[in-house]
Amino acid sequence: MEIKRVGVIGAGQMGSGIAHVCALAGYDVLLNDVDPDALERALETITSNMNRQVSREKIAGEDRDAALGRIRTTETLGELGETDLVIEAATERESVKDAIFAELVPHLGSGTILTSNTSSISITRLASKTDRPEKFMGFHFMNPVPVMSLVELIRGIATDEETFEACQSVVERLGKTASVAEDFPAFIVNRILMPMINEAVYVLYEGVGGVASIDKAMKLGTNHPMGPLELADFIGLDTCLSIMNVLHDGLADTKYRPCPLLTKYVEAGWLGRKSQRGFYDYRGEKPVPTR
């Protein structure tokens, strides 16, 4: 199963990053979003990030130019029917993903592989609502995609071996490393990472330490490059809460109960960097803790 053309659904931070690395690896990329402004911003971001790679001598200028020439955009989901592999990177809400696949499937060729970049939702359940559960996989990139080397590959219960091997080959061609995870809530990375972030929010909630103290303790005490609250702001507090809810609902264990303070921040619209306020306030020259 040779993959030459890749469709990416969603032109946000993850989708633009996935389009970036796929184009650099030599794939023809069709990037889709319902918002034309999002597509324009994505192309600007991809160009800026590739320029940074050129300036740091990570890639050659001619490779950048060739990669940018391989990316096309479309607001019409059905146009992705011409691709060999589709990577869905839309909002982390199951109802949104289900609606996207329902609209897309009638346009696909029989051999097209469908994948989702979901960070927590059941691959088996998503696949069961399509016409090709045997050609459906989880393809979970880490953020920021051009920098992070890991991709989690998650098989649904029906995923066949040919589909798995094709996706594994794509990961290798991207110059990344695959970690194979079973289809349980939040897979490997977020099953471990999100409860740690949630516990950091509990430490803040209970007054054990302030935002700056908690992040400093984890950066200097455990050699993490970012503190857990800074990382939560980078990921998006709404995404963190969504994954904790998936864990709590899917595993029925109270240790995964989202911290009420995390819920409160999301209800306030303080979602982290993307909204300019979260555990830090980003509206000034330097981030300032909000608690």
Side-chain angles (χ1 to χ4, degrees):
M1 184 182 294
E2 186 179 6
I3 293 172
K4 296 180 179 178
R5 298 162 297 180
V6 176
V8 180
I9 302 172
Q13 191 172 37
M14 295 303 294
S16 63
I18 294 167
H20 174 140
V21 297
C22 287
L24 271 180
Y27 293 108
D28 291 325
V29 177
L30 186 55
L31 178 61
N32 164 262
D33 201 286
V34 294
D35 181 1
D37 292 336
L39 290 170
E40 187 175 336
R41 288 193 299 270
L43 290 177
E44 290 171 356
T45 298
I46 293 168
T47 302
S48 174
N49 288 340
M50 286 189 184
N51 286 340
R52 187 178 300 112
Q53 288 179 303
V54 171
S55 67
R56 294 176 179 175
E57 299 184 346
K58 301 287 186 181
I59 63 173
E62 53 266 32
D63 293 335
R64 171 201 58 202
D65 296 341
L68 290 173
R70 294 186 193 103
I71 301 173
R72 294 190 296 121
T73 63
T74 179
E75 297 167 47
T76 306
L77 191 60
E79 288 189 21
L80 271 66
E82 66 187 61
T83 62
D84 307 307
L85 167 68
V86 174
I87 305 172
E88 172 273 317
T91 304
E92 187 69 356
R93 290 206 304 272
E94 189 166 349
S95 60
V96 172
K97 296 179 187 297
D98 286 343
I100 287 170
F101 292 132
E103 183 181 343
L104 176 64
V105 160
H107 301 279
L108 298 178
S110 60
T112 302
I113 294 174
L114 270 181
T115 68
S116 176
N117 183 58
T118 179
S119 53
S120 62
I121 299 168
S122 167
I123 298 303
T124 296
R125 195 164 62 240
L126 289 173
S128 71
K129 297 166 188 171
T130 74
D131 68 340
R132 61 195 66 214
E134 72 287 349
K135 293 189 178 300
F136 196 109
M137 277 199 69
F139 210 129
H140 181 214
F141 289 82
M142 305 296 118
N143 187 29
V145 178
V147 175
M148 302 294 280
S149 61
L150 182 73
V151 177
E152 280 185 314
L153 289 180
I154 308 102
R155 300 186 206 223
I157 195 170
T159 306
D160 64 28
E161 188 63 26
E162 185 182 24
T163 298
F164 172 75
E165 289 176 0
C167 289
Q168 198 166 40
S169 296
V170 172
V171 174
E172 292 171 1
R173 182 165 163 180
L174 296 179
K176 297 189 182 295
T177 301
S179 173
V180 181
E182 292 298 318
D183 186 21
F184 289 101
F187 319 129
I188 294 173
V189 172
N190 283 319
R191 174 78 177 264
I192 297 168
L193 175 63
M194 287 302 158
M196 184 196 77
I197 287 175
N198 194 53
E199 192 62 26
V201 183
Y202 266 113
V203 169
L204 178 65
Y205 177 61
E206 294 169 3
V208 180
V211 170
S213 293
I214 293 166
D215 278 348
K216 186 189 302 180
M218 292 305 290
K219 283 194 285 189
L220 300 182
T222 61
N223 209 29
H224 288 191
M226 297 173 73
L229 301 177
E230 181 185 5
L231 179 57
D233 275 358
F234 179 74
I235 294 168
L237 304 193
D238 52 341
T239 300
C240 294
L241 179 60
S242 173
I243 295 171
M244 288 307 303
N245 281 325
V246 167
L247 282 166
H248 191 231
D249 295 343
L251 298 171
D253 193 324
T254 56
K255 72 180 180 180
Y256 299 116
R257 182 172 68 96
C259 179
L261 184 60
L262 178 59
T263 302
K264 182 180 287 188
Y265 268 74
V266 173
E267 288 174 345
W270 292 20
L271 307 181
R273 285 183 176 271
K274 62 187 174 185
S275 66
Q276 294 296 298
R277 277 192 294 188
F279 293 114
Y280 292 86
D281 188 329
Y282 300 92
R283 294 173 297 174
E285 289 185 15
K286 297 170 66 175
V288 178
T290 53
R291 290 177 82 90

